[in-house]
Amino acid sequence: MDLLDWVKKELPRIPKCKFIGNFPDKISDQPVDRRRNNWIISLANLKKPKNHRSLVLAFSKVAKLNPALKLALIGTCEDEEYLRDLKILIQSENLEEKTTITGPVISLKKLV
């Protein structure tokens, strides 16, 4: 089963989960429910080319506008220095309570 097939089959089973593909034409017409803890999930191996640093910095700005948001970085990281630098950035942006680095995850349902 390829990733797109998995997404079509499994994501509908996860409540309040929406797939945003690379380079989407349209993200969503649905408003964000600001009364609940909403997650922004990055499902990608933690590697420099993926530029999680920019994601954390962008999340820092967005989280100030919507304090209920949380960020989950999900994926394998084989570069200990990159992981350490991400954790330092998360601390320097005061996002420790809002950001989770999980490593690989089998079931998103358990996370969100």
Side-chain angles (χ1 to χ4, degrees):
M1 175 182 318
D2 69 8
L3 181 58
L4 185 56
D5 290 337
W6 183 90
V7 165
K8 288 177 181 177
K9 180 181 175 194
E10 299 296 330
L11 276 188
R13 298 178 187 183
I14 303 170
K16 297 181 259 174
C17 189
K18 182 173 284 278
F19 173 72
I20 302 173
N22 289 336
F23 313 109
D25 294 328
K26 183 177 182 181
I27 294 177
S28 175
D29 289 331
Q30 298 181 4
V32 173
D33 182 353
R34 296 179 192 277
R35 296 169 295 166
R36 299 181 184 267
N37 289 334
N38 294 294
W39 287 89
I40 295 174
I41 298 174
S42 171
L43 185 59
N45 288 334
L46 294 144
K47 296 181 177 184
K48 287 181 185 179
K50 305 276 183 169
N51 199 3
H52 290 88
R53 179 178 176 78
S54 290
L55 174 59
V56 170
L57 291 171
F59 175 72
S60 179
K61 292 177 182 180
V62 171
K64 290 174 185 165
L65 300 173
N66 184 352
L69 285 176
K70 294 183 179 183
L71 174 64
L73 303 176
I74 302 171
T76 302
C77 185
E78 296 174 1
D79 184 342
E80 291 299 319
E81 183 179 346
Y82 183 64
L83 182 60
R84 186 183 67 246
D85 290 346
L86 277 176
K87 288 179 179 181
I88 290 169
L89 177 63
I90 290 165
Q91 285 180 331
S92 71
E93 294 294 320
N94 297 314
L95 296 172
E96 301 99 312
E97 298 297 317
K98 296 179 165 291
T99 305
T100 302
I101 300 175
T102 66
V105 170
I106 300 300
S107 173
L108 289 178
K109 253 186 185 177
K110 293 177 183 175
L111 178 70
V112 297

